[in-house]
Amino acid sequence: MKKWLLILGMVTCLSTAAACGKEENDYSAQYQVTQEMVDSYVQQQLEGFNSVVEQGAQAYLAEDPVASAAVAGWESALADMGDYQSIESITYIVDEDGVMTIDAAVKGTKRDASVQFVLEYSVTQGFALSSVTTTVTYTFGELMKNAGLNTLIGMGTVFVVLILICLIISCFNFIPKIQKAFSKKEKKAEASVDGAVAQIVQNEEVNETDDLELIAVIAAAVAASEGAASSDGYVVRSIRRVR
């Protein structure tokens, strides 16, 4: 019996210490923050976000990056939440630096969500909104389904990349054959060019020989017609075919 009473006393002490620690870390009274104020603030903010999305007036918040990001996150969450219905609960805490964190549980037609507001205190402006995060609450089955899909997509991507790498590596076997085929074609082209050049040179040599013989015959004929003993004094400068 004494043992159980001792255990019960220890549990009570730990619970009291935890509660006292929470109260010590909460500076709401110092900054004059009440639950009613927080509830009203959260309700106004969420209704404002929802109204902006319904009216499509996001462009009017472009100059306010915090509000614009908050509305964008709320709009993205609505795709999975469904229509916004109500606020289930609101909790808040203010630390010693004047940073207030508000957690609101929101109910939607499809899924619930949690919205976290972070506000920072300044002497001139009071509490000012610094960030808003909206997180949709999924069931365990939905989380497992999404995890399975992500795993399949990741593994599928890896296998596709491996298959592509294998195909690229297998193509390396054909590269030497392709190079060999191209080298043969180049050699044939060079051989044909060399043969054509040799034929042209040969034809020019033949033509030059023919011209020399023709020049000698013409020179001899002219010398004979003039009664000269030899054709040494005659020079044939050009030969033209008469049609």
Side-chain angles (χ1 to χ4, degrees):
M1 185 65 178
K2 291 181 179 180
K3 184 178 180 180
W4 286 107
L5 289 174
L6 180 61
I7 294 173
L8 181 61
M10 292 177 63
V11 172
T12 305
C13 290
L14 290 173
S15 301
T16 306
C20 293
K22 182 177 180 181
E23 291 177 358
E24 289 177 359
N25 293 330
D26 189 6
Y27 294 83
S28 301
Q30 179 178 341
Y31 290 94
Q32 299 179 354
V33 177
T34 63
Q35 185 70 47
E36 291 76 11
M37 294 170 57
V38 173
D39 293 347
S40 176
Y41 174 81
V42 170
Q43 186 174 0
Q44 291 178 3
Q45 290 293 323
L46 293 182
E47 288 177 355
F49 295 162
N50 204 54
S51 177
V52 170
V53 172
E54 288 179 351
Q55 297 176 8
Q58 293 88 334
Y60 294 100
L61 301 175
E63 296 181 358
D64 188 347
V66 176
S68 180
V71 171
W74 177 258
E75 183 180 11
S76 177
L78 287 176
D80 294 331
M81 275 177 55
D83 295 332
Y84 164 63
Q85 288 188 326
S86 62
I87 300 172
E88 296 296 310
S89 64
I90 298 174
T91 59
Y92 71 96
I93 188 171
V94 182
D95 64 15
E96 60 181 347
D97 296 326
V99 178
M100 179 166 56
T101 304
I102 305 173
D103 293 309
V106 179
K107 185 175 182 58
T109 55
K110 296 180 181 179
R111 298 179 182 86
D112 296 340
S114 61
V115 184
Q116 186 178 78
F117 298 83
V118 178
L119 297 91
E120 297 180 358
Y121 180 82
S122 65
V123 178
T124 56
Q125 298 181 353
F127 283 101
L129 185 65
S130 61
S131 67
V132 181
T133 305
T134 305
T135 306
V136 179
T137 304
Y138 297 98
T139 62
F140 180 76
E142 290 174 334
L143 292 175
M144 293 300 295
K145 181 180 178 181
N146 291 334
L149 288 175
N150 291 333
T151 302
L152 288 176
I153 292 172
M155 293 179 64
T157 304
V158 171
F159 278 114
V160 169
V161 173
L162 289 175
I163 290 172
L164 290 175
I165 292 174
C166 291
L167 291 175
I168 293 172
I169 292 174
S170 64
C171 291
F172 288 163
N173 296 327
F174 298 99
I175 293 177
K177 296 180 181 179
I178 296 173
Q179 290 179 341
K180 187 176 181 180
F182 275 110
S183 63
K184 288 182 178 179
K185 290 182 179 180
E186 290 177 356
K187 289 181 179 179
K188 288 182 179 179
E190 290 177 358
S192 61
V193 170
D194 293 340
V197 172
Q199 184 66 31
I200 292 171
V201 171
Q202 184 177 359
N203 291 336
E204 289 180 351
E205 291 178 351
V206 171
N207 291 335
E208 186 176 356
T209 303
D210 293 341
D211 291 342
L212 291 174
E213 293 178 353
L214 181 59
I215 289 171
V217 170
I218 293 173
V222 172
S225 63
E226 293 293 332
S230 66
S231 60
D232 292 339
Y234 299 92
V235 177
V236 179
R237 299 189 180 278
S238 64
I239 301 172
R240 185 175 62 184
R241 183 185 297 273
V242 179
R243 297 180 180 178

